Amino acid sequence: MSLTVQTEQRGDVVVVSVAGELDMATAPQLQDQITDLLDKGRSRLVFDLAEVSFCDSTGLSVFVRAKNSCDEAGGEVRLAAPQRGVLRILEVSGLVEVLHTYPTVEQAVAGDPTPTSS
């Protein structure tokens, strides 16, 4: 059970690539990365979830906290490329509407007006 987190600056957006299982054991690692980014003034974040194989409620709460913090800082959070299981969790929880979710990282970075809704 491990999680890897990598960041890449793309213009004024930071793409946060997450891989592995996002759960109670690994969520603090992602939260620490987000806190570090916010401390550096980075508040426009795209989370690349293509390699996230599992996400529980603890992981979802990290994204909600990130959204709230980024909103307060005048930024935003977008999710990109979730696998079917993770997308299903976002849909069932209702967070797919709150956490703008896109089929690709490129669309999320560009702010494509048509996020994934199903």
Side-chain angles (χ1 to χ4, degrees):
M1 294 213 271
S2 66
L3 187 77
T4 59
V5 182
Q6 297 180 329
T7 60
E8 175 190 354
Q9 188 77 38
R10 293 195 194 177
D12 64 344
V13 174
V14 177
V15 176
V16 182
S17 298
V18 185
E21 295 184 0
L22 186 54
D23 56 22
M24 187 177 1
T26 60
Q29 179 183 347
L30 180 58
Q31 185 62 57
D32 288 347
Q33 285 275 5
I34 295 166
T35 300
D36 186 50
L37 289 167
L38 289 167
D39 288 347
K40 292 177 179 173
R42 306 288 188 248
S43 61
R44 295 196 61 211
L45 307 178
V46 168
F47 291 93
D48 178 356
L49 305 180
E51 300 297 321
V52 174
S53 57
F54 175 80
C55 181
D56 70 4
S57 61
T58 311
L60 294 178
S61 69
V62 170
F63 295 127
V64 171
R65 282 195 302 274
K67 180 194 182 326
N68 292 339
S69 296
C70 287
D71 285 353
E72 287 175 15
E76 62 185 316
V77 165
R78 298 176 183 155
L79 305 181
Q83 293 184 21
R84 178 177 285 172
V86 174
L87 180 58
R88 183 72 182 131
I89 291 165
L90 290 165
E91 290 171 340
V92 168
S93 67
L95 290 176
V96 76
E97 308 300 329
V98 176
L99 300 167
H100 300 292
T101 306
Y102 295 80
T104 69
V105 172
E106 291 73 23
Q107 287 172 306
V109 168
D112 187 316
T114 55
T116 300
S117 61
S118 61

